[in-house]
Amino acid sequence: MSDRNREPVTLQTVRISVVDQLYAALRMAIIGNELSPGARISEAEVAQQYGISRQPVREAFITLANEGLLDIRPQRGSFVAKISLAAVLDARFVREAVEADIVKLLAATPDAALLANLRQQLTRQQELVGGSARDFMEADEVFHRTLAEGAGKGNAWRVVEEMKAQMDRVRFLSSMHFPVARLIDQHRAIVDAIAEGDATGAETRIRTHLQGILSDLPVIKQERPEYFL
Amino acid sequence: MSDRNREPVTLQTVRISVVDQLYAALRMAIIGNELSPGARISEAEVAQQYGISRQPVREAFITLANEGLLDIRPQRGSFVAKISLAAVLDARFVREAVEADIVKLLAATPDAALLANLRQQLTRQQELVGGSARDFMEADEVFHRTLAEGAGKGNAWRVVEEMKAQMDRVRFLSSMHFPVARLIDQHRAIVDAIAEGDATGAETRIRTHLQGILSDLPVIKQERPEYFL
DNA sequence: TACACCATACTACCATACAAGTAAACACGG
DNA sequence: CCGTGTTTACTTGTATGGTAGTATGGTGTA
């Protein structure tokens, strides 16, 4: 054979377990506020809806509960977790700390390929202005993940992703709170600072970027107190 | 009644589910290297050992897998996760970022009661010199959690805890790697900086503190390559 | 010996059944 | 009308059974 010495590719099993599929679906539904905070959601009910047994539903619930998106009360019922102000603030805090160090790393040794990628994403984001909040949220997620992976901290992204979910969820409670144009400007400013090797500037800008939600949070709580703990 | 207007205390259900108990036990066993990286550990086997059914075991496994401590391979078996160098490095990175911002907060407005608490812990830690690694690890955990909670970031502790688990696990692979005396000195230096309101100093010192494992990691990997991915 | 084939045992995944706790509706007695 | 006790439906927790995918050791064949 001509390719005896080639690198073995890592094969992938196409099968995605019922649990994983359901987990992803429910997570999206919760973050996107299709399932509102406080809403009741029982294992049996969901099982019937999807035509599966209770067990995989239960296992998806467990993971969601571990991520703070679901509240399982034994013998009482399961509920979409209400928003804890402290939890969201702390999630934001963690995310700011981590991403600040990430952009500091990136600015220390700017990488041309990465910057090109980021700038391409900026134009793509610009095209989404006026579109759906969900579409922008996805692009935003890719942008921030690209930063993490560009800094060689791909595993750290898992943490940021979880924190981000808490924050995005709050934003979805009131569709007013995706100031897309402003967010893109901030993204651009961050990329510029990285390109210039300005670590301090990049840090300051991403911290500001991630502090944006702080002003929205009290407003949203005022608008929808029933969604909060 | 004389106490009609008193605050209602929040009652606690004593019952702890089998799942939670098993999860805690297995987590400890994995971090403490009683279950070594790569070791096989099947649902049925554990169920039999503890005299319970497979289902709760499975659910405990799922949470452990989500935390990166277990590797579940469908239809193949479950294994104590081998150590991924990148995962540990990224966990350390996240922890450093978060705890750095925490001590900055603490130093900004030093609190006397908190500082008294911390200094008391320092003397307690001193008493543990020469004792078991596990005892010190617990005291260390309390210390760092106290910092997080003192800064009003109790929810952020969950994240740090998960990252800490990855790091402690590596240390347990070789009992040489708990330089207790040095760690306590660093703890003391951090407390001193906070007391003086020296945010920059506190940040620098906790970053140094948490970078300690970086020098140990390659050594441990050299010693026990079979434990690594 | 070397290799393809197959039987078998084992795994996690999913379905189903039962157990135990909770809460709400309701009947009853004051 | 109000408060109490009981019934009943519903919840999650746990146990067990069946299914499909995977690894392994043996067997036959060249």
Side-chain angles (χ1 to χ4, degrees):
Chain A
M1 289 163 66
S2 64
D3 55 356
R4 265 173 47 208
N5 296 329
R6 68 184 168 80
E7 281 291 310
V9 297
T10 50
L11 304 180
Q12 303 197 12
T13 305
V14 280
R15 172 165 184 76
I16 302 175
S17 75
V18 172
V19 176
D20 291 348
Q21 294 180 58
L22 182 63
Y23 161 75
L26 290 177
R27 181 174 185 275
M28 275 297 171
I30 293 175
I31 295 175
N33 198 30
E34 296 161 33
L35 293 170
S36 298
R40 182 179 205 115
I41 172 175
S42 85
E43 295 178 359
E45 186 186 326
V46 173
Q48 196 167 14
Q49 284 174 6
Y50 287 85
I52 57 179
S53 76
R54 262 185 58 214
Q55 210 50 51
V57 175
R58 181 174 168 73
E59 293 174 6
F61 275 25
I62 289 175
T63 300
L64 290 167
N66 285 338
E67 293 180 2
L69 293 174
L70 208 63
D71 187 13
I72 302 177
R73 299 187 221 171
Q75 274 70 42
R76 227 160 308 189
S78 298
F79 306 84
V80 176
K82 289 204 177 190
I83 312 257
S84 154
L85 202 57
V88 175
L89 288 174
D90 286 13
R92 195 212 62 78
F93 175 82
V94 168
R95 194 179 164 201
E96 177 185 323
V98 175
E99 295 210 51
D101 273 15
I102 284 176
V103 297
K104 271 196 279 187
L105 267 185
L106 290 176
T109 56
D111 178 75
L114 177 68
L115 285 165
N117 180 347
L118 290 172
R119 292 204 193 280
Q120 195 169 1
Q121 287 190 38
L122 287 175
T123 49
R124 166 96 184 100
Q125 288 172 19
Q126 203 71 52
E127 293 164 14
L128 291 175
V129 174
S132 78
R134 167 156 300 190
D135 284 346
F136 177 76
M137 196 195 74
E138 276 181 32
D140 182 65
E141 184 130 344
V142 172
F143 180 80
H144 285 273
R145 184 171 63 234
T146 303
L147 292 177
E149 290 175 350
K153 301 294 170 196
N155 297 93
W157 173 250
R158 249 201 68 250
V159 173
V160 176
E161 189 177 28
E162 204 176 309
M163 303 298 111
K164 188 175 188 303
Q166 293 282 345
M167 294 167 63
D168 286 339
R169 185 167 174 238
V170 172
R171 286 206 162 113
F172 266 110
L173 290 184
S174 172
S175 54
M176 296 301 191
H177 301 281
F178 272 106
V180 175
R182 181 157 60 88
L183 295 176
I184 295 175
D185 283 346
Q186 294 176 336
H187 284 173
R188 194 187 324 280
I190 293 163
V191 175
D192 288 344
I194 293 173
E196 295 166 14
D198 177 10
T200 307
E203 178 184 357
T204 305
R205 288 172 185 182
I206 200 162
R207 284 188 186 270
T208 304
H209 177 52
L210 294 174
Q211 281 163 5
I213 198 175
L214 286 175
S215 51
D216 295 344
L217 203 47
V219 178
I220 296 175
K221 179 168 182 179
Q222 188 91 19
E223 285 176 6
R224 301 297 189 107
E226 74 275 19
Y227 286 165
F228 286 75
L229 206 55
Chain B
M1 289 162 68
S2 63
D3 55 354
R4 265 173 47 208
N5 296 329
R6 69 183 167 79
E7 282 291 312
V9 297
T10 50
L11 304 179
Q12 303 196 14
T13 305
V14 280
R15 172 163 186 75
I16 302 175
S17 74
V18 172
V19 176
D20 291 348
Q21 295 182 57
L22 181 64
Y23 161 74
L26 290 177
R27 181 174 184 275
M28 275 298 171
I30 293 175
I31 294 175
N33 198 30
E34 296 161 34
L35 293 170
S36 298
R40 181 176 207 116
I41 173 175
S42 84
E43 294 178 358
E45 185 186 327
V46 173
Q48 197 167 14
Q49 283 176 5
Y50 286 84
I52 57 178
S53 75
R54 283 169 8 234
Q55 206 52 48
V57 176
R58 179 173 169 71
E59 294 175 4
F61 275 25
I62 288 175
T63 299
L64 290 168
N66 285 337
E67 292 180 3
L69 293 175
L70 207 63
D71 186 14
I72 302 177
R73 300 188 220 172
Q75 272 68 39
R76 229 160 307 189
S78 298
F79 306 84
V80 177
K82 288 204 176 189
I83 313 258
S84 154
L85 202 56
V88 175
L89 289 174
D90 286 13
R92 195 211 62 79
F93 175 82
V94 167
R95 195 180 163 200
E96 177 186 324
V98 174
E99 295 211 51
D101 273 15
I102 284 176
V103 297
K104 271 196 279 186
L105 267 184
L106 290 176
T109 57
D111 178 75
L114 176 68
L115 286 165
N117 180 347
L118 290 172
R119 292 203 193 280
Q120 196 168 2
Q121 287 190 38
L122 288 175
T123 48
R124 165 98 183 97
Q125 287 172 20
Q126 202 70 52
E127 293 165 14
L128 291 175
V129 174
S132 77
R134 167 156 300 190
D135 285 346
F136 178 76
M137 197 196 74
E138 274 180 33
D140 182 65
E141 184 130 345
V142 172
F143 180 80
H144 285 273
R145 184 171 63 235
T146 303
L147 292 178
E149 289 174 350
K153 301 293 169 195
N155 297 95
W157 174 250
R158 249 200 68 251
V159 173
V160 176
E161 189 176 27
E162 203 176 311
M163 304 297 111
K164 188 175 187 305
Q166 293 283 343
M167 294 167 63
D168 286 338
R169 185 167 174 239
V170 172
R171 287 206 163 114
F172 265 109
L173 291 184
S174 173
S175 54
M176 297 300 190
H177 302 280
F178 272 106
V180 175
R182 181 156 60 87
L183 294 176
I184 295 176
D185 283 346
Q186 294 175 336
H187 285 174
R188 193 187 325 279
I190 293 164
V191 175
D192 288 343
I194 293 172
E196 296 165 13
D198 177 9
T200 307
E203 178 184 357
T204 305
R205 288 171 186 183
I206 200 161
R207 284 188 186 271
T208 303
H209 178 52
L210 294 174
Q211 281 162 5
I213 198 176
L214 286 175
S215 52
D216 294 344
L217 202 46
V219 178
I220 296 175
K221 179 168 182 179
Q222 189 91 19
E223 287 176 5
R224 301 296 189 113
E226 73 276 18
Y227 286 165
F228 285 75
L229 207 55

Short mmCIF file of all heavy atoms in Angstrom, two decimals, chain A residues 181-212:
data_model
loop_
_atom_site.label_atom_id
_atom_site.label_comp_id
_atom_site.label_asym_id
_atom_site.label_seq_id
_atom_site.Cartn_x
_atom_site.Cartn_y
_atom_site.Cartn_z
N ALA A 181 -24.61 46.32 17.04
CA ALA A 181 -23.65 47.23 16.41
C ALA A 181 -22.54 47.60 17.40
O ALA A 181 -21.35 47.56 17.05
CB ALA A 181 -24.38 48.49 15.94
N ARG A 182 -22.94 47.91 18.61
CA ARG A 182 -21.94 48.28 19.61
C ARG A 182 -21.00 47.12 19.94
O ARG A 182 -19.79 47.30 20.07
CB ARG A 182 -22.65 48.75 20.89
CG ARG A 182 -21.71 49.20 21.99
CD ARG A 182 -22.39 50.16 22.96
NE ARG A 182 -23.55 49.57 23.63
CZ ARG A 182 -23.46 48.86 24.77
NH1 ARG A 182 -22.29 48.67 25.34
NH2 ARG A 182 -24.55 48.37 25.33
N LEU A 183 -21.59 45.93 20.03
CA LEU A 183 -20.77 44.76 20.34
C LEU A 183 -19.72 44.53 19.26
O LEU A 183 -18.56 44.20 19.55
CB LEU A 183 -21.66 43.52 20.51
CG LEU A 183 -22.63 43.56 21.70
CD1 LEU A 183 -23.53 42.33 21.72
CD2 LEU A 183 -21.87 43.66 23.02
N ILE A 184 -20.13 44.72 18.01
CA ILE A 184 -19.18 44.51 16.90
C ILE A 184 -18.05 45.54 16.96
O ILE A 184 -16.88 45.22 16.76
CB ILE A 184 -19.90 44.57 15.55
CG1 ILE A 184 -20.90 43.42 15.45
CG2 ILE A 184 -18.91 44.51 14.41
CD1 ILE A 184 -21.76 43.45 14.20
N ASP A 185 -18.41 46.78 17.26
CA ASP A 185 -17.38 47.81 17.41
C ASP A 185 -16.36 47.41 18.46
O ASP A 185 -15.15 47.56 18.28
CB ASP A 185 -18.04 49.15 17.81
CG ASP A 185 -18.70 49.83 16.62
OD1 ASP A 185 -18.41 49.41 15.46
OD2 ASP A 185 -19.51 50.76 16.83
N GLN A 186 -16.88 46.87 19.56
CA GLN A 186 -15.98 46.45 20.63
C GLN A 186 -15.10 45.29 20.18
O GLN A 186 -13.91 45.24 20.48
CB GLN A 186 -16.80 46.07 21.87
CG GLN A 186 -17.51 47.27 22.49
CD GLN A 186 -18.40 46.88 23.65
OE1 GLN A 186 -18.85 45.74 23.75
NE2 GLN A 186 -18.69 47.85 24.53
N HIS A 187 -15.69 44.35 19.45
CA HIS A 187 -14.91 43.25 18.90
C HIS A 187 -13.75 43.80 18.06
O HIS A 187 -12.60 43.37 18.19
CB HIS A 187 -15.79 42.35 18.02
CG HIS A 187 -16.71 41.46 18.79
ND1 HIS A 187 -17.67 40.68 18.18
CD2 HIS A 187 -16.83 41.21 20.12
CE1 HIS A 187 -18.34 39.99 19.10
NE2 HIS A 187 -17.85 40.30 20.28
N ARG A 188 -14.09 44.76 17.21
CA ARG A 188 -13.07 45.32 16.31
C ARG A 188 -11.95 45.98 17.10
O ARG A 188 -10.76 45.82 16.79
CB ARG A 188 -13.72 46.33 15.36
CG ARG A 188 -12.81 46.71 14.18
CD ARG A 188 -13.39 47.85 13.35
NE ARG A 188 -14.86 47.80 13.25
CZ ARG A 188 -15.53 47.00 12.41
NH1 ARG A 188 -14.86 46.23 11.59
NH2 ARG A 188 -16.86 47.01 12.40
N ALA A 189 -12.35 46.69 18.14
CA ALA A 189 -11.35 47.38 18.96
C ALA A 189 -10.40 46.38 19.62
O ALA A 189 -9.19 46.62 19.73
CB ALA A 189 -12.04 48.22 20.03
N ILE A 190 -10.95 45.25 20.02
CA ILE A 190 -10.13 44.21 20.64
C ILE A 190 -9.13 43.65 19.63
O ILE A 190 -7.94 43.52 19.92
CB ILE A 190 -11.02 43.08 21.20
CG1 ILE A 190 -11.86 43.60 22.38
CG2 ILE A 190 -10.18 41.90 21.64
CD1 ILE A 190 -13.04 42.73 22.74
N VAL A 191 -9.65 43.34 18.44
CA VAL A 191 -8.77 42.80 17.40
C VAL A 191 -7.66 43.80 17.06
O VAL A 191 -6.49 43.41 16.93
CB VAL A 191 -9.59 42.48 16.12
CG1 VAL A 191 -8.66 42.04 15.00
CG2 VAL A 191 -10.61 41.38 16.43
N ASP A 192 -8.01 45.06 16.98
CA ASP A 192 -7.01 46.09 16.67
C ASP A 192 -5.91 46.12 17.72
O ASP A 192 -4.72 46.18 17.40
CB ASP A 192 -7.68 47.48 16.58
CG ASP A 192 -8.53 47.60 15.31
OD1 ASP A 192 -8.33 46.78 14.39
OD2 ASP A 192 -9.38 48.52 15.24
N ALA A 193 -6.32 46.07 18.97
CA ALA A 193 -5.34 46.12 20.05
C ALA A 193 -4.40 44.91 19.99
O ALA A 193 -3.19 45.04 20.19
CB ALA A 193 -6.05 46.17 21.41
N ILE A 194 -4.96 43.76 19.70
CA ILE A 194 -4.13 42.56 19.58
C ILE A 194 -3.14 42.73 18.44
O ILE A 194 -1.96 42.43 18.57
CB ILE A 194 -5.02 41.31 19.34
CG1 ILE A 194 -5.87 41.00 20.57
CG2 ILE A 194 -4.15 40.11 18.98
CD1 ILE A 194 -6.89 39.90 20.36
N ALA A 195 -3.64 43.25 17.31
CA ALA A 195 -2.79 43.42 16.13
C ALA A 195 -1.63 44.35 16.44
O ALA A 195 -0.50 44.14 15.97
CB ALA A 195 -3.63 43.98 14.98
N GLU A 196 -1.88 45.34 17.27
CA GLU A 196 -0.82 46.31 17.61
C GLU A 196 0.07 45.79 18.73
O GLU A 196 0.99 46.50 19.15
CB GLU A 196 -1.45 47.64 18.03
CG GLU A 196 -2.23 48.34 16.92
CD GLU A 196 -3.11 49.45 17.47
OE1 GLU A 196 -2.91 49.82 18.64
OE2 GLU A 196 -4.01 49.91 16.73
N GLY A 197 -0.22 44.63 19.24
CA GLY A 197 0.58 44.09 20.34
C GLY A 197 0.37 44.85 21.63
O GLY A 197 1.20 44.84 22.53
N ASP A 198 -0.79 45.49 21.72
CA ASP A 198 -1.10 46.30 22.90
C ASP A 198 -1.87 45.46 23.92
O ASP A 198 -3.11 45.45 23.96
CB ASP A 198 -1.93 47.51 22.46
CG ASP A 198 -2.37 48.37 23.65
OD1 ASP A 198 -1.88 48.13 24.78
OD2 ASP A 198 -3.21 49.27 23.44
N ALA A 199 -1.13 44.74 24.76
CA ALA A 199 -1.75 43.82 25.70
C ALA A 199 -2.67 44.55 26.68
O ALA A 199 -3.81 44.12 26.92
CB ALA A 199 -0.68 43.05 26.48
N THR A 200 -2.19 45.64 27.23
CA THR A 200 -3.00 46.39 28.19
C THR A 200 -4.28 46.90 27.56
O THR A 200 -5.37 46.82 28.14
CB THR A 200 -2.19 47.57 28.76
OG1 THR A 200 -0.95 47.09 29.26
CG2 THR A 200 -2.95 48.26 29.88
N GLY A 201 -4.15 47.44 26.35
CA GLY A 201 -5.32 47.96 25.64
C GLY A 201 -6.32 46.85 25.36
O GLY A 201 -7.53 47.01 25.56
N ALA A 202 -5.82 45.70 24.90
CA ALA A 202 -6.70 44.58 24.60
C ALA A 202 -7.44 44.14 25.86
O ALA A 202 -8.65 43.89 25.84
CB ALA A 202 -5.91 43.42 24.01
N GLU A 203 -6.69 44.09 26.96
CA GLU A 203 -7.30 43.68 28.22
C GLU A 203 -8.41 44.66 28.62
O GLU A 203 -9.54 44.26 28.92
CB GLU A 203 -6.25 43.61 29.33
CG GLU A 203 -6.85 43.24 30.67
CD GLU A 203 -5.84 43.27 31.81
OE1 GLU A 203 -4.65 43.52 31.56
OE2 GLU A 203 -6.27 43.03 32.96
N THR A 204 -8.07 45.93 28.62
CA THR A 204 -9.05 46.94 29.01
C THR A 204 -10.31 46.84 28.17
O THR A 204 -11.44 46.90 28.67
CB THR A 204 -8.45 48.35 28.85
OG1 THR A 204 -7.25 48.42 29.61
CG2 THR A 204 -9.43 49.40 29.34
N ARG A 205 -10.11 46.66 26.87
CA ARG A 205 -11.26 46.66 25.96
C ARG A 205 -12.15 45.43 26.13
O ARG A 205 -13.36 45.54 26.03
CB ARG A 205 -10.75 46.76 24.52
CG ARG A 205 -10.21 48.14 24.22
CD ARG A 205 -9.53 48.20 22.88
NE ARG A 205 -8.91 49.51 22.68
CZ ARG A 205 -8.28 49.85 21.56
NH1 ARG A 205 -8.18 48.99 20.55
NH2 ARG A 205 -7.74 51.04 21.46
N ILE A 206 -11.54 44.27 26.34
CA ILE A 206 -12.40 43.09 26.49
C ILE A 206 -13.09 43.13 27.84
O ILE A 206 -14.24 42.66 27.98
CB ILE A 206 -11.63 41.77 26.29
CG1 ILE A 206 -12.66 40.67 25.97
CG2 ILE A 206 -10.83 41.39 27.53
CD1 ILE A 206 -12.09 39.44 25.34
N ARG A 207 -12.45 43.71 28.84
CA ARG A 207 -13.13 43.85 30.13
C ARG A 207 -14.34 44.76 29.98
O ARG A 207 -15.43 44.46 30.47
CB ARG A 207 -12.16 44.39 31.19
CG ARG A 207 -11.15 43.35 31.70
CD ARG A 207 -10.33 43.87 32.88
NE ARG A 207 -9.28 42.96 33.30
CZ ARG A 207 -9.43 42.00 34.22
NH1 ARG A 207 -10.60 41.81 34.80
NH2 ARG A 207 -8.42 41.20 34.54
N THR A 208 -14.15 45.87 29.30
CA THR A 208 -15.28 46.77 29.05
C THR A 208 -16.38 46.05 28.29
O THR A 208 -17.57 46.13 28.62
CB THR A 208 -14.81 47.98 28.23
OG1 THR A 208 -13.75 48.63 28.92
CG2 THR A 208 -15.96 48.96 28.00
N HIS A 209 -15.96 45.32 27.25
CA HIS A 209 -16.90 44.57 26.42
C HIS A 209 -17.76 43.65 27.27
O HIS A 209 -18.98 43.59 27.10
CB HIS A 209 -16.09 43.76 25.40
CG HIS A 209 -16.91 42.89 24.51
ND1 HIS A 209 -17.99 43.35 23.78
CD2 HIS A 209 -16.82 41.56 24.20
CE1 HIS A 209 -18.51 42.35 23.08
NE2 HIS A 209 -17.83 41.25 23.32
N LEU A 210 -17.12 42.95 28.19
CA LEU A 210 -17.84 41.96 28.98
C LEU A 210 -18.57 42.58 30.17
O LEU A 210 -19.37 41.92 30.84
CB LEU A 210 -16.88 40.88 29.46
CG LEU A 210 -16.29 40.03 28.32
CD1 LEU A 210 -15.25 39.07 28.85
CD2 LEU A 210 -17.39 39.26 27.60
N GLN A 211 -18.31 43.85 30.43
CA GLN A 211 -19.03 44.52 31.51
C GLN A 211 -20.35 45.09 31.02
O GLN A 211 -21.18 45.53 31.83
CB GLN A 211 -18.16 45.63 32.12
CG GLN A 211 -17.11 45.08 33.08
CD GLN A 211 -16.00 46.07 33.36
OE1 GLN A 211 -16.05 47.21 32.90
NE2 GLN A 211 -14.99 45.64 34.10
N GLY A 212 -20.54 45.04 29.70
CA GLY A 212 -21.74 45.64 29.11
C GLY A 212 -23.03 45.17 29.76
O GLY A 212 -23.95 45.97 30.01
#
